[in-house]
Amino acid sequence: MALSLFSEIRLLLGKEWKSEFRRKDHFAALVIYLLSTLFICYLSFEKVADGQTWGALLWVTGLFTSFNAMHKALDSSHHPQLLHLYTLARPTAVIISRCIYHAIQIAALNVCSLLLFLLFFGDSVLGKLDWGQLITGLVLGSTGLGITLTFVASLAQRTGNGVGLMAILGFPLVIPLLITIVKFTRLAIEGVTWASNGYQLMLLVVLNVLAMVLAYLLFPYLWRE
Amino acid sequence: MKMHFGFKILCALLLMYVAIFAFLTPLSPALLQTDLSEIKPGEHSFTLTGYNTHFAEGNNALFLINDSTLSIPCTITEVMDNSHVRASVTMPNEIHSKAFAFVLNNQVDGTVFLESPMKVTDFTVNAELQSSQMPKFQHGEASFFSYPYQPIIMESIRNLMWHVPMWFTMFFLMIISLVQSITVLVKGQRDGDQTIVAINPALIRPHDNKAAMSAAVGMVFCILGLVTGSIWARFTWDAWWTKDPQLNGALAVFIVYSAYFILRNSIQQEENKWKLAAIYNIFACILMFVLLMVLPRFTEGLHPGKSGNPAFSQYDLDSSLRTIFYPATIGFILLGYWIYNIRLRILKIEQDHENL
């Protein structure tokens, strides 16, 4: 264990990136999934008349895409090279690097989702939107989903029935995050000031920190037989 | 396992006391409504309807009080029965403000109020106006021990003794579950440098059993809390289910713990099951606090004492409610603990039987 925690995390993240680039079809598949989900939403809703529905739809789509991304993660962590590295690194480095990696991945997917939303549903309900708040919400929501779902995926993986349990274990755990992020986005679309959206922002940060602390403390128990 | 009987006897006594007094304690007398919809200068005659009052048994004095500075005496023309009275009043041209309240006093009920029940029109408002002396009221004799009358809630205030203790009991059991889960993880921990030490199942299994059984009984109390809450919501908020954050948080807690049991049942290998279930349980318990204690503070809801404190403030609980409510809480927590103990022993017998 000559490497420090920090450089272990950096090393693992680098390997994850490389493996992701080698398998470009993974991310492409997720974007196609997102596209078809949104296309179905577009065809069935035709138009979204108010900001509340706009924000809620954005996050419901985001939630399903994130779960799909984690299903992929359940497979790809069987990637032999990464698996070997995982056995060498310390568990805290593994969980932190995986959380960061999935948070970035989910954030990227949510940005794609936002662009597709603007394409399909237009910005007619976004007249008063505060873009800074929307982007902040997107980032905090994605990191929260990334951390919680990474942890749940590791847990589900250990049961030997990962894909089946993932949704059952994951959905209830993201309820508070989802309630908060939907409300934050709705208020951002209504164009309130940062100060009046402060409670939601604080809650988002607290939920993120809570998820990270729990994942950090509990992952070593979960990892490795 | 050695059991102590003391807490069972205490539990049974407390719950019997609660069952009797929660239902038999009367509600304080109060004025319900009047058929007077609008007042202006001049004479009016009207009917007042009371609740749990004793108009026919007492010497009634009726006033219209204006901002507690001006009192206008009313004449009672007919006492129809204990809860209906006809009266008339002659209103002056000048009033102190537009806030009126009917105040009725007799020696049985004490003083009962009805605040701003009608529209106020055509008066000259004069803030200087004052009565030379306010009427003196006599104390009632009937209401020495009664539940406070609250509009809308009315008799359903008795549900306080059932609905709220369910949640306290659930919290108590879920905290037991959390502590036992942490114990499973701590005791089941392997040595630091990855040498595999065999875990002694006899050391861990009891803690896992306790965690699972207390969560199971906690879920029963969660269901009971939701059901009693739903019935209460039907009477006070006019719907079986509402968009109240605490209500939906409670349902989310129920779903989380259901997932915990699904997780437990889907793992065959015992050691693995203990560990994973314990980890998920810790998540679930912290989520319960977030959903029921933190989130409702930041959302508008229907539960009392919202926006700042998702429970009862000291003003909501008067002393007659407290004398039943605290025993009810302790009684139900003891009952939860009792059921949990029985479930635990049943499980242990089943496990011993399997191992034979």
Side-chain angles (χ1 to χ4, degrees), chain A residues 151 155 158-159 165 168-169 172-173 175-176 180 183 199-200 202-203 207 210 214 218 221-222 224-225, chain B residues 185 190 194 252 255-256 259 262-263 266-267 272 275-276 279-280 282-283 286-287 290 294-295 298 300:
Chain A
F151 189 77
L155 207 147
R158 288 295 307 281
T159 63
L165 271 180
I168 295 167
L169 299 180
L173 289 189
I175 288 174
T180 318
K183 189 167 181 198
Y199 275 145
Q200 268 64 38
M202 191 189 77
L203 269 178
L207 287 173
L210 201 65
L214 278 177
L218 294 178
Y221 293 103
L222 192 63
R224 217 188 270 131
E225 260 308 278
Chain B
L185 287 185
R190 299 184 188 289
Q194 286 134 46
I255 298 172
V256 173
I262 290 171
L263 175 68
S266 67
I267 309 170
N272 215 357
K275 207 161 58 176
L276 298 182
I279 289 171
Y280 195 77
I282 293 171
F283 255 87
I286 287 170
L287 206 72
V290 171
V294 181
L295 280 186
F298 298 106
E300 315 76 41

Side-chain angles (χ1 to χ4, degrees), chain B residues 75-263:
Chain B
T75 326
I76 292 174
T77 47
E78 186 193 354
V79 178
M80 292 143 95
D81 56 37
N82 265 340
S83 53
H84 291 89
V85 69
R86 284 199 68 75
S88 65
V89 63
T90 311
M91 297 299 297
N93 287 326
E94 279 197 326
I95 56 173
H96 182 264
S97 83
K98 290 195 168 184
F100 276 104
F102 281 111
V103 176
L104 194 146
N105 180 272
N106 65 38
Q107 79 273 30
V108 187
D109 298 325
T111 310
V112 284
F113 297 89
L114 182 63
E115 279 181 51
S116 321
M118 62 251 148
K119 249 169 64 187
V120 179
T121 44
D122 292 347
F123 287 103
T124 321
V125 173
N126 177 3
E128 308 280 294
L129 210 59
Q130 270 192 14
S131 289
S132 52
Q133 68 178 93
M134 294 297 285
K136 291 244 179 336
F137 294 132
Q138 31 193 345
H139 284 290
E141 54 197 34
S143 56
F144 74 101
F145 189 79
S146 60
Y147 291 149
Y149 170 90
Q150 308 241 10
I152 303 172
I153 297 178
M154 298 183 63
E155 294 279 2
S156 76
I157 199 165
R158 298 164 201 287
N159 201 2
L160 175 77
M161 314 309 168
W162 314 104
H163 174 64
V164 184
M166 298 301 159
W167 299 115
F168 280 110
T169 313
M170 185 190 81
F171 268 91
F172 175 77
L173 288 165
M174 293 317 185
I175 289 169
I176 292 184
S177 190
L178 173 73
V179 171
Q180 295 299 339
S181 290
I182 293 174
T183 317
V184 167
L185 287 185
V186 171
K187 284 201 176 174
Q189 199 176 14
R190 299 184 188 289
D191 270 5
D193 46 276
Q194 286 134 46
T195 47
I196 293 177
V197 181
I199 293 174
N200 181 4
L203 206 65
I204 309 294
R205 187 184 284 122
H207 295 292
D208 177 70
N209 285 349
K210 283 178 185 170
M213 285 304 113
S214 57
V217 181
M219 271 178 78
V220 172
F221 279 91
C222 181
I223 294 171
L224 289 174
L226 281 173
V227 169
T228 50
S230 188
I231 294 170
W232 209 356
R234 177 68 190 79
F235 280 93
T236 52
W237 307 331
D238 252 348
W240 294 105
W241 199 269
T242 64
K243 256 198 98 131
D244 179 80
Q246 213 149 11
L247 177 53
N248 289 307
L251 183 66
V253 168
F254 179 77
I255 298 172
V256 173
Y257 277 97
S258 308
Y260 165 72
F261 283 103
I262 290 171
L263 175 68

Side-chain angles (χ1 to χ4, degrees), chain A residues 156-208:
Chain A
Q157 204 177 13
R158 288 295 307 281
T159 63
N161 179 19
V163 179
L165 271 180
M166 179 71 203
I168 295 167
L169 299 180
F171 271 122
L173 289 189
V174 295
I175 288 174
L177 183 77
L178 215 65
I179 296 172
T180 318
I181 189 69
V182 166
K183 189 167 181 198
F184 184 84
T185 311
R186 192 193 79 212
L187 291 176
I189 290 173
E190 284 170 7
V192 303
T193 59
W194 280 94
S196 31
N197 218 346
Y199 275 145
Q200 268 64 38
L201 186 65
M202 191 189 77
L203 269 178
L204 278 177
V205 173
V206 167
L207 287 173
N208 266 291

Side-chain angles (χ1 to χ4, degrees), chain A residues 71-88:
Chain A
H71 284 171
K72 292 258 182 259
L74 284 178
D75 301 334
S76 68
S77 50
H78 287 300
H79 202 280
Q81 202 186 2
L82 269 178
L83 212 58
H84 177 63
L85 270 181
Y86 283 161
T87 55
L88 295 178

